């Protein structure tokens, strides 16, 4: 998940100035949620290509922040209520059932933390954490016909461990083409494998780094809030953005790796939809 309240307020205010230039669009998204992109026009192929800029913590629990530029967009194929996609390091499938249930599954690659991610040397001696293939399973259920309110459940599991995410959200000023605002709140849980990958210190790492050995139990990880935005500036140009804030639980906050008891991220970007 894949965050600061002040950053979120600034981000929301900055993006709101673009609302007046939103062009009327004939596109109809699989679901009218800004966080679920759909570059198709109801059926067939859809292509989106762009860039996003994020200002985020350098690693899980870091008190260092950095800018990062990432590609955005993807390749999609839609037939009826089924959408197949390839975006970044993930390939997957989404389907809409009875207009109120969205199911998603995907296979991706989760990159681990690198020792050099801390410019201040806070990770010296810890080495690189494990990377690996992950599987995402997600279910969203609309509480109203227009997806104004919804519930969300996700499980991410694989070689690096398992993360469970449970939340609820609301869609504000959302349109059938998938533009508008989305606000959500989530609670996350992790198993011991993922908890110790991100926040644990093994005996050998303790010897190499000078940090006390730390074993983090499975269970509650954090509570988070997020804001997503998507709009058309022109027939083919989208602006998108996201702000996230994640407050860690006490056991994660007590880890010697955790320099802040929260994680934060804010980002904005553009996509050309072919």
């Amino acid at each position: 998940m894949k965050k600061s309240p002040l950053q979120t307020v600034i981000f929301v205010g900055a993006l709101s100035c673009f609302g007046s230039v939103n062009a009327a669009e004939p596109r109809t998204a699989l679901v009218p949620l800004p966080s679920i992109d759909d570059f198709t026009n109801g059926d067939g192929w859809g292509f989106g290509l762009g860039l996003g800029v994020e200002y985020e913590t350098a690693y899980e629990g870091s008190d260092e922040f950095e800018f990062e530029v990432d590609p955005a967009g993807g390749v999609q194929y839609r037939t009826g209520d089924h959408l197949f996609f390839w975006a970044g390091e993930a390939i997957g499938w989404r389907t809409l059932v009875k207009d109120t249930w969205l199911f998603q599954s995907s296979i991706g690659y989760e990159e681990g933390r690198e020792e050099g991610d801390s410019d201040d040397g806070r990770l010296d001696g810890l080495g690189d954490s494990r990377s690996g293939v992950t599987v995402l399973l997600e279910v969203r259920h609309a509480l109203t016909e227009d997806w104004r309110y919804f519930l969300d459940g996700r499980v991410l599991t694989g070689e690096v461990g398992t993360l469970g995410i449970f939340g609820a959200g609301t869609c504000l000023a959302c349109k059938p083409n998938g533009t508008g605002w989305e606000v959500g709140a989530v609670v996350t849980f992790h198993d011991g494998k993922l908890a110790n990958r991100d926040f644990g210190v093994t005996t050998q790492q303790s010897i190499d780094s000078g940090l006390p050995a730390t074993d983090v139990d499975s269970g509650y990880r954090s509570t988070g809030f997020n804001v997503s935005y998507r709009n058309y500036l022109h027939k083919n140009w989208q602006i998108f953005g996201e702000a996230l804030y994640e407050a860690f639980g006490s056991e994660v906050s007590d880890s010697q790796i955790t320099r802040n008891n929260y994680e934060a991220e804010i980002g904005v970007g553009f996509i050309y939809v072919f």
Side-chain angles (χ1 to χ4, degrees):
M1 244 188 85
K2 298 76 206 225
K3 318 169 188 176
S4 152
L6 178 58
Q7 291 173 325
T8 300
V9 171
I10 295 173
F11 173 72
V12 170
L15 285 181
S16 63
C17 67
F18 290 102
S20 61
V21 296
N22 180 38
E25 281 294 322
R27 297 178 186 271
T28 301
L30 187 64
V31 289
L33 297 178
S35 62
I36 305 293
D37 53 31
D38 185 347
F39 305 133
T40 70
N41 191 16
D43 268 305
W45 290 96
F47 304 89
L49 182 62
L51 285 176
V53 180
E54 297 178 341
Y55 183 65
E56 59 185 355
T57 48
Y59 56 90
E60 296 275 1
S62 174
D63 59 356
E64 303 170 57
F65 288 79
E66 62 184 13
F67 285 98
E68 183 174 338
V69 179
D70 293 310
V75 179
Q76 301 174 344
Y77 179 78
R78 181 174 167 188
T79 173
D81 290 331
H82 300 275
L83 190 149
F84 303 89
F85 64 90
W86 171 41
E89 297 176 328
I91 183 169
W93 161 73
R94 300 180 185 127
T95 186
L96 185 65
V97 178
K98 295 184 178 179
D99 295 327
T100 59
W101 289 92
L102 176 69
F103 296 92
Q104 173 172 303
S105 62
S106 64
I107 298 176
Y109 186 77
E110 174 77 13
E111 295 184 359
R113 183 188 65 222
E114 297 182 359
E115 186 173 315
D117 285 344
S118 172
D119 292 335
D120 295 339
R122 302 276 175 82
L123 301 175
D124 289 355
L126 296 177
D128 297 343
S129 66
R130 186 172 184 176
S131 302
V133 175
T134 58
V135 175
L136 171 68
L137 302 174
E138 178 177 4
V139 178
R140 291 197 190 195
H141 177 54
L143 301 177
T144 57
E145 291 184 358
D146 58 359
W147 285 82
R148 177 69 182 272
Y149 303 101
F150 60 89
L151 301 177
D152 185 22
R154 281 167 276 172
V155 176
L156 183 71
T157 187
E159 299 173 84
V160 301
T162 301
L163 179 71
I165 305 173
F166 307 93
T170 181
C171 197
L172 307 175
C174 290
K175 297 181 179 180
N177 62 359
T179 62
W181 295 92
E182 185 181 322
V183 181
V186 299
V187 178
T188 68
F189 301 86
H190 52 195
D191 68 355
K193 188 175 183 179
L194 181 62
N196 283 289
R197 186 201 75 151
D198 292 337
F199 305 108
V201 180
T202 66
T203 301
Q204 185 60 53
Q205 288 175 323
S206 176
I207 295 172
D208 295 339
S209 67
L211 298 175
T214 303
D215 182 74
V216 184
D217 292 333
S218 61
Y220 173 69
R221 181 183 179 101
S222 65
T223 297
F225 304 91
N226 63 279
V227 178
S228 299
Y229 175 82
R230 191 178 300 273
N231 208 343
Y232 278 96
L233 301 179
H234 187 263
K235 180 180 178 181
N236 298 99
W237 282 101
Q238 277 188 7
I239 182 174
F240 68 93
E242 186 174 40
L244 306 171
Y245 179 83
E246 181 181 7
F248 294 127
S250 58
E251 187 169 7
V252 173
S253 297
D254 291 342
S255 166
Q256 294 298 308
I257 293 176
T258 308
R259 301 289 177 164
N260 268 337
N261 60 1
Y262 70 89
E263 189 167 353
E265 177 183 325
I266 185 170
V268 64
F270 296 89
I271 296 176
Y272 185 84
V273 180
F274 293 87

